[in-house]
Amino acid sequence: MKQRMETSLIHAGVRDGYANKKGAVNVPMYLSSTFHQESIDEFGEYDYARSGNPTRDALEKAVAELEGGVRAHAFSSGIAAVSAALMLLSQGDHIVMTEDVYGGTYRFVTKVLPRFGITHTFVDFTDLAAVEAAITPTTKLLYMETPSNPTLGITDIRGVVTLAKQHHCLTFLDNTFMTPLHQRPLELGVDVVIHSATKFLSGHSDIIAGLTVTADEKLGQDLYFIQNSFGNILGVQDSFTLLQNIKTTDVRFSRSAESAQKIAEFLAANPLVEQVYYPGLESHLGYDIHRSQCTSAGAVLSFRLPSYKAAKALVEAMKIPVFAVSLGGVESILSYPAKMSHAAMEPEERAKRGITDGLLRFSVGLEHVDDLIADFTQALEIAEKA
Ligand SMILES: *Cc1c(COP(=O)(O)O)cnc(C)c1O
């Protein structure tokens, strides 16, 4: 019987296998680095916990099931998952990557990979013709992030997958903003799905974690080899926490996305707000594409105030959200991309991506939406006078 995602979220990876022989409803934490072997010439399923641990295994099985893949791997951070996946490439390979990629991915691709002879071209992935034009004979990978950060740019996943097949490239997609609940890249032909599980999947601003998932057994084995060689595994306690928190992803994400829609509409109607970026607004660039490949507009939005002064006044006046980097937590998180996630980027590059001095990003948490709107209302009045 094919179960709905809400059901799989609760039970995936938990009931079967080594992880749980005693009937506990929660997968035990196997805090063990090594495993006793019964025989000198025949080893058991586990030998050393970098290579495999039953708690991490249960998490990886659950995530593979949720994404509709065959293999998943859990890493010590989202960036560890990104960099491990990029290690599938070799010297001489070229990457075509979305220009509004996550800052840490940008850093790895621009500062680390070139030392190993792996080159890149950044392109606006909302423009398929530009993506195709950037493909060279050595291009091995098209790298997507959709919706992207912080202006929620939408990539046509099917279009990029078609290009990749024509040019014999792999496709990776950072699915952090949508979760497996609402965007199913493997079903659209993407080769490797990547998550910063630090965000919505863990959802409580408690752990740093990353995931990769693939529908291809051979690619899965290659990723396992890299995970074991690199050693950037997710620890047992964090694997346990993530497995627990994943169970409530649907209720958390649905509520936050519902509130995000209301807040986006509220902000769009406020005269001080110059622009709202949210895939749930019909005015958003790529609205139709997003709807054709996702079942939610998500819980992150950005909006532009006229100046740095107005943005500063709003940040200082808001009482409910935390002002911080990161997103996807139960608490709403307000952040200032120009000085936070995109501080390392040159001002011209930031401007090209719409990251102006008045831009703020808001990750909607689980506070009551009317309280959040009331908070925005009073803070916008103050910002208007700034
Ligand atoms: C946060 C984030 C990452 C990096 O994940 P970490 O867990 O912080 O290493 C990668 N991609 C996106 C879209 C993110 O938001």
Side-chain angles (χ1 to χ4, degrees):
M1 184 177 76
K2 182 147 172 31
Q3 292 179 340
R4 287 168 184 77
M5 184 63 83
E6 293 84 342
T7 307
S8 304
L9 278 170
I10 307 300
H11 299 290
V14 174
R15 286 216 192 145
D16 48 32
Y18 252 75
N20 187 5
K21 290 275 195 226
K22 305 283 185 199
V25 297
N26 295 316
V27 172
M29 274 193 269
Y30 282 82
L31 289 166
S32 193
S33 60
T34 190
F35 297 80
H36 175 65
Q37 306 303 323
E38 298 289 343
S39 133
I40 193 167
D41 48 15
E42 215 180 302
F43 284 10
E45 185 176 353
Y46 297 99
D47 52 24
Y48 187 60
R50 172 166 29 75
S51 314
N53 176 288
T55 311
R56 195 176 80 234
D57 248 22
L59 168 68
E60 292 175 342
K61 287 203 174 83
V63 170
E65 187 179 327
L66 295 175
E67 275 286 356
V70 297
R71 291 289 292 272
H73 297 97
F75 297 88
S76 52
S77 69
I79 276 302
V82 168
S83 50
L86 289 169
M87 286 290 114
L88 290 170
L89 301 178
S90 302
Q91 187 176 22
D93 290 349
H94 173 252
I95 307 166
V96 176
M97 181 170 266
T98 180
E99 65 180 6
D100 43 11
V101 75
Y102 178 76
T105 307
Y106 180 88
R107 179 168 53 207
F108 188 73
V109 166
T110 56
K111 300 287 196 298
V112 180
L113 288 183
R115 290 200 280 115
F116 300 93
I118 298 169
T119 56
H120 58 269
T121 304
F122 287 108
V123 190
D124 174 4
F125 263 56
T126 64
D127 179 356
L128 276 182
V131 176
E132 181 159 34
I135 297 173
T136 71
T138 58
T139 303
K140 287 286 156 56
L141 171 65
L142 307 183
Y143 189 106
M144 296 169 258
E145 196 176 303
T146 183
S148 69
N149 186 20
T151 52
L152 292 301
I154 305 300
T155 296
D156 175 355
I157 302 172
R158 292 181 184 88
V160 172
V161 166
T162 303
L163 282 179
K165 297 228 153 85
Q166 283 163 3
H167 295 271
H168 308 288
C169 303
L170 288 172
T171 44
F172 293 0
L173 190 147
D174 185 330
N175 204 20
T176 300
F177 273 42
M178 277 297 125
T179 81
L181 281 168
H182 295 291
Q183 182 162 267
R184 321 252 331 132
L186 296 177
E187 288 166 11
L188 302 178
V190 169
D191 294 301
V192 180
V193 173
I194 300 169
H195 286 280
S196 169
T198 309
K199 313 294 167 55
F200 290 106
L201 289 175
S202 194
H204 294 72
S205 305
D206 45 7
I207 60 166
I208 300 283
L211 300 163
T212 60
V213 200
T214 174
D216 180 82
E217 183 61 42
K218 165 75 169 61
L219 258 184
Q221 276 168 18
D222 292 349
L223 277 163
Y224 172 70
F225 183 80
I226 290 165
Q227 182 193 42
N228 194 34
S229 306
F230 235 136
N232 49 356
I233 51 161
L234 189 65
V236 173
Q237 303 193 32
D238 287 349
S239 294
F240 174 84
T241 301
L242 182 51
L243 199 48
Q244 288 294 83
N245 292 355
I246 277 178
K247 295 177 190 179
T248 55
T249 310
D250 177 53
V251 279
R252 286 185 283 105
F253 198 90
S254 303
R255 173 61 67 86
S256 290
E258 206 180 289
S259 301
Q261 182 72 37
K262 290 183 185 156
I263 293 168
E265 287 167 10
F266 164 82
L267 290 171
N270 187 290
L272 190 66
V273 178
E274 293 181 344
Q275 190 167 358
V276 180
Y277 299 94
Y278 183 63
L281 297 178
E282 267 181 67
S283 57
H284 190 73
L285 191 69
Y287 173 82
D288 289 324
I289 294 170
H290 185 77
R291 275 175 69 107
S292 76
Q293 61 195 20
C294 295
T295 52
S296 169
V300 180
L301 55 93
S302 293
F303 57 101
R304 184 192 315 290
L305 296 181
S307 63
Y308 166 72
K309 251 174 73 182
K312 182 172 187 292
L314 183 113
V315 166
E316 287 170 0
M318 290 286 290
K319 295 191 170 73
I320 296 173
V322 296
F323 180 58
V325 297
S326 201
L327 55 96
V330 293
E331 58 290 294
S332 291
I333 303 176
L334 182 63
S335 59
Y336 185 58
K339 289 208 172 154
M340 288 177 161
S341 51
H342 293 71
M345 203 173 260
E346 301 75 27
E348 317 82 71
E349 293 294 312
R350 279 208 299 270
K352 238 172 62 188
R353 291 161 174 80
I355 307 164
T356 59
D357 291 346
L359 188 81
L360 290 162
R361 189 185 73 196
F362 194 64
S363 166
V364 183
L366 295 180
E367 301 92 346
H368 197 291
V369 65
D370 293 345
D371 290 338
L372 292 171
I373 288 176
D375 200 14
F376 270 115
T377 304
Q378 63 82 21
L380 282 163
E381 275 168 24
I382 293 170
E384 201 181 347
K385 297 190 197 104

